[in-house]
Amino acid sequence: MKAFRLTLALTLALASLISCKSQYDLLLEGHDVDAKYAAAFDYFNNGKYQKAAAMFESLAYITSGMSIDDTVQYYWGLSNYRFKDYVTAESNLERFVTNYPRSPFAEDANFLRIDCMFRSTLRYELDQTPTYKAMAQISTFMGDYPKSDKIEVCLKMLEDLGARLDRKEYENARLYYKMEDYKAARVALNNVLKDDAENIYREDILYHIAMSSYKYADMSVQQKKKERFLQFVDDYLNFVGEYPESHYRTELDALYRKVKDK
């Protein structure tokens, strides 16, 4: 008897689940705008963002030209954003801000779009094209909404992305140093600072410039050493002039004394 009751309970539960799923599918495929609209917000408000996104998407194809279309389009993107499908959300929100630039949702949609772009950027070792695109869009947002309460977040994003680009430029130049091509390393590292004097790795770059000069001179033939060590001295003095308290001082000071004693 217990086995029968358990089987019956499981059967009823399964039937209930199938019924619910069928209701969702029928609603998704139907054309009752009011019912779909209410269901979409019900799913959204209950945190069922994947289902909400699908319902808003299905609505978007039948609400074009209606007064609720901007709301449907916005919540389609927002549902995907909350579901953490940032690639799809960015596409949704880009379409929204293009079609409804004056909507009450426009500022939030623009910010969510750049947040999606920010989250889709890549590590410094990889292609930074998405980083440049995100930075451009963030700057546009700040220009369009200078009084937005999201400005501080945008500035933090720009700082993070800028640091990533600085790291990439520094590491690319330092590759020559790692390969022990010290002449090329010094040129490449100096070029980084010519292009961006405010690179956040400036101290490390100047240190590697001085070290490149020293190692290049030390590896040179005897008749070239004196002249090339003078370049190290210049680079050393430049470094200590900017960073007198640097943790690199001990090492560089020792090399400087060694050169002076020769």
Side-chain angles (χ1 to χ4, degrees), residues 117-135:
M117 296 175 76
F118 176 78
R119 292 171 185 272
S120 298
T121 55
L122 306 173
R123 303 190 313 272
Y124 80 88
E125 310 99 299
L126 303 176
D127 176 35
Q128 291 303 302
T129 299
T131 297
Y132 287 110
K133 288 182 178 179
M135 292 178 78

Side-chain angles (χ1 to χ4, degrees), residues 188-204:
L189 290 160
N190 269 303
N191 284 339
V192 172
L193 295 183
K194 284 180 182 177
D195 292 339
D196 179 17
E198 303 302 318
N199 189 295
I200 64 170
Y201 295 95
R202 183 178 177 87
E203 180 180 350
D204 301 277

Side-chain angles (χ1 to χ4, degrees), residues 7 33 64 82 88 119-120 129 149 188 207 234 236 248 255:
T7 301
V33 173
S64 179
R82 294 280 182 86
T88 304
R119 292 171 185 272
S120 298
T129 299
D149 60 358
Y207 161 76
D234 285 345
Y236 164 81
Y248 291 125
L255 295 177

Side-chain angles (χ1 to χ4, degrees), residues 14 66 74 111 113 116 132 152 154 184 197-198 217-218 234 236:
L14 182 60
M66 298 174 64
Y74 172 69
F111 176 76
R113 181 193 172 199
C116 290
Y132 287 110
E152 285 190 19
C154 289
E198 303 302 318
D218 195 48
D234 285 345
Y236 164 81

